[in-house]
Amino acid sequence: MSDPNAGYDVVILGGGSGGYAAAFRAAELGLKVALIEKDKVGGTCLHRGCIPTKALLHAGEVADTARESEQFGILAEFKGVDMPAVKEYKDGVVAKLYKGLQGLVKAHKVDFIQGTGKLVGPNSVQVDNGQTVTGKNVVLATGSYSKTLPGLEVDGERIITSEHALELTSLPSKAIVIGGGVIGVEFASAWKSLGVDVEIIEGLPRLIAAEDADSSKQLERAFRKRGIKFHTGKFFEKVERTDSGVQVTIQGGTVVEGELVLVAVGRGPVTANLGYEEQGVNMDRGFVLVNEHLQTSVPGVYAVGDIVPGIQLAHRGFLQGIFVAEHIAGLNPAPIDETGIPRVTFTEPEVASMGLNEDKAKEKYGADKIKSVNYNLAGNGKSNILKTQGFIKLVAVEDGPIVGVHMVGARISEQIGEAELIYNWEAYANDVAQLIHMHPTQNEAIGEAAMLLAGKPLHAHD
């Protein structure tokens, strides 16, 4: 074993959201840090996930606005979509953020090491450039990859993943999306806005099945209205290439045809062949098991982000990275409540949530102890201005705090901040109802929902 006192205080394997957050925070706390990354700092979120996907969705929103401008009294002409220009816009956003992140690595005096690292000891990482980097603590943050399923052989042309989809410079006339979770519905929404005919195949009973059932129903209604087709409760059986594209057979014998298939069945942990198990790190189906302090079974070795079981979100990894740095520095940070992490699906309309959905709340507290209300955005002035439909749903324990906030509507993701405070500060309906919410904003709808839950509705029927 190499001497842990001879190297860094913290060696981080992976430069995505979790890895670089751990690096920056540890450096701020006076620790000597090495950050090892095989590709570019920023990871999947910046380069192949959150940021480019949302840029694509915004381009779609602009296209829809141009098409529908007449309903606002504006006579605009929609001439079409220039996908090479859309890609240039998307890549420009990523490049600007990447440049800023590179500057922050230097500003924090983090030693950035380019290469693929492998854990070769409890405090040693071997890099494929020949270096062996040693540290008192090691943080595993190697991220995730796009999964596929047997019978879905990705070729990058007709059968693609989200990474391939983000590099397209021309769009198909018809696309099939296998998977109705967050990634699948976001691409379906963006592509529909950009002029693609889209059909989704989802094996679970509803789209975005991890969300509250009311949120799923509202999104499904919106998708039907937009002409996005979907099949729920039916798994695909086979995918065949044809002269013009692909055809997918689903349970029941229905055949769906299109020019390409997007495989959006989730993401798996990047942990294979990296030495984790060989060094005694406990694993489960490729994921790294940790305790509440994000420590693995090997002393001095931590894990953060998508390789840790739980919801795979960039801001979760970011928060975990900060937590680990502070734990290593002896600050004794409070363990992270996974249920207290905000979630947003950036479709049109957007779906945002905090805490427990109604079914989970009833499981935890008992059905007779749970009260929920839905405030319809039809009663909200700003939502009417935006011509959006949706709701704010609050789930609370009877005579207790609000334990779930669920929202659907255009731009509703911008309200997730107050929802996060409501849940994490264990606010009661009366606590929120007495706050002043700016008029006219969609934020008002949270206040109205709280007033409804507190038994004093003004713009809603109790």
Side-chain angles (χ1 to χ4, degrees):
M1 185 190 303
S2 54
D3 180 6
N5 297 309
Y8 293 89
D9 294 308
V10 188
V11 175
I12 301 162
L13 186 52
S17 300
Y20 83 71
F24 292 177
R25 185 65 180 127
E28 288 173 356
L29 293 169
L31 302 178
K32 188 179 179 184
V33 181
L35 179 61
I36 302 166
E37 169 56 49
K38 66 180 180 181
D39 189 11
K40 296 176 180 178
V41 65
T44 294
C45 177
L46 175 55
H47 299 285
R48 300 173 297 279
C50 328
I51 298 299
T53 304
K54 277 55 183 180
L56 196 67
L57 282 156
H58 181 63
E61 181 185 358
V62 173
D64 284 335
T65 301
R67 286 191 195 95
E68 300 162 4
S69 64
E70 199 169 321
Q71 65 178 308
F72 301 100
I74 306 299
L75 303 180
E77 183 180 357
F78 177 71
K79 293 185 177 180
V81 175
D82 180 348
M83 273 308 292
V86 170
K87 184 177 182 298
E88 184 180 355
Y89 149 69
K90 169 185 68 66
D91 292 346
V93 173
V94 172
K96 181 179 179 181
L97 292 171
Y98 176 48
K99 184 177 180 180
L101 199 52
Q102 287 176 300
L104 288 170
V105 172
K106 293 178 182 177
H108 283 91
K109 295 182 172 59
V110 169
D111 287 348
F112 184 78
I113 300 170
Q114 187 84 50
T116 300
K118 180 177 181 179
L119 191 68
V120 294
N123 55 279
S124 299
V125 175
Q126 191 173 67
V127 187
D128 60 1
N129 64 7
Q131 284 180 270
T132 297
V133 186
T134 306
K136 297 174 186 176
N137 300 278
V138 174
V139 180
L140 310 178
T142 40
S144 61
Y145 67 93
S146 291
K147 290 197 302 184
T148 188
L149 297 170
L152 275 177
E153 283 73 36
V154 173
D155 60 18
E157 295 177 359
R158 293 188 184 181
I159 302 176
I160 66 173
T161 66
S162 58
E163 287 88 348
H164 301 117
L166 288 167
E167 295 303 311
L168 293 176
T169 53
S170 64
L171 291 176
S173 59
K174 168 73 181 291
I176 303 164
V177 177
I178 297 181
V182 174
I183 296 171
V185 297
E186 285 190 350
F187 271 97
S189 185
W191 279 348
K192 182 63 179 178
S193 296
L194 295 170
V196 179
D197 186 15
V198 184
E199 200 156 349
I200 304 169
I201 298 165
E202 170 55 57
L204 295 176
R206 51 191 173 88
L207 299 181
I208 51 169
E211 293 293 338
D212 190 86
D214 286 344
S215 297
S216 291
K217 290 174 188 174
Q218 184 73 30
L219 183 66
E220 289 176 358
R221 273 196 297 270
F223 271 19
R224 287 190 194 99
K225 188 175 180 180
R226 294 181 62 195
I228 298 174
K229 300 175 184 175
F230 53 88
H231 308 265
T232 53
K234 294 181 179 179
F235 290 94
F236 91 97
E237 291 186 340
K238 62 179 178 178
V239 175
E240 299 171 287
R241 292 165 179 78
T242 65
D243 292 339
S244 58
V246 287
Q247 63 180 27
V248 180
T249 304
I250 62 178
Q251 286 175 322
T254 300
V255 176
V256 181
E257 296 188 349
E259 289 181 33
L260 63 76
V261 169
L262 171 65
V263 181
V265 294
R267 298 185 65 82
V270 175
T271 56
N273 304 314
L274 295 179
Y276 297 174
E277 283 188 290
E278 292 89 331
Q279 297 305 319
V281 175
N282 286 345
M283 313 276 287
D284 180 24
R285 292 172 296 176
F287 288 95
V288 178
L289 300 180
V290 296
N291 62 15
E292 64 175 2
H293 300 299
L294 300 174
Q295 296 166 304
T296 70
S297 53
V298 177
V301 178
Y302 295 75
V304 301
D306 288 356
I307 63 172
V308 175
I311 192 166
Q312 293 174 311
L313 294 169
H315 49 278
R316 172 183 180 250
F318 188 82
L319 183 65
Q320 289 177 334
I322 294 170
F323 175 93
V324 163
E326 293 182 350
H327 191 269
I328 289 171
L331 298 186
N332 196 30
I336 297 167
D337 174 12
E338 290 272 319
T339 313
I341 297 171
R343 307 172 295 275
V344 176
T345 303
F346 291 88
T347 41
E348 173 51 44
E350 293 178 341
V351 180
S353 63
M354 272 302 310
L356 302 172
N357 63 36
E358 188 167 1
D359 290 339
K360 293 289 185 184
K362 287 177 177 177
E363 284 179 23
K364 182 172 181 178
Y365 297 101
D368 59 331
K369 300 291 186 184
I370 291 298
K371 180 181 180 182
S372 69
V373 297
N374 281 49
Y375 174 75
N376 196 307
L377 293 185
N380 177 257
K382 186 61 180 286
S383 296
N384 276 271
I385 291 167
L386 296 174
K387 289 185 176 289
T388 188
Q389 295 179 330
F391 59 81
I392 306 288
K393 178 177 181 178
L394 301 181
V395 180
V397 178
E398 195 74 51
D399 298 321
I402 295 167
V403 296
V405 182
H406 305 276
M407 308 180 285
V408 181
R411 305 186 187 179
I412 209 67
S413 62
E414 299 301 328
Q415 307 311 317
I416 198 66
E418 184 176 0
E420 185 176 4
L421 294 177
I422 287 170
Y423 173 84
N424 284 291
W425 289 352
E426 299 180 350
Y428 283 53
N430 276 320
D431 295 330
V432 183
Q434 69 182 354
L435 299 175
I436 298 172
H437 291 80
M438 172 68 195
H439 176 76
T441 64
Q442 287 184 296
N443 185 244
E444 274 185 289
I446 293 179
E448 293 280 358
M451 292 175 74
L452 177 58
L453 185 60
K456 48 182 181 182
L458 261 67
H459 296 102
H461 298 285
D462 194 0

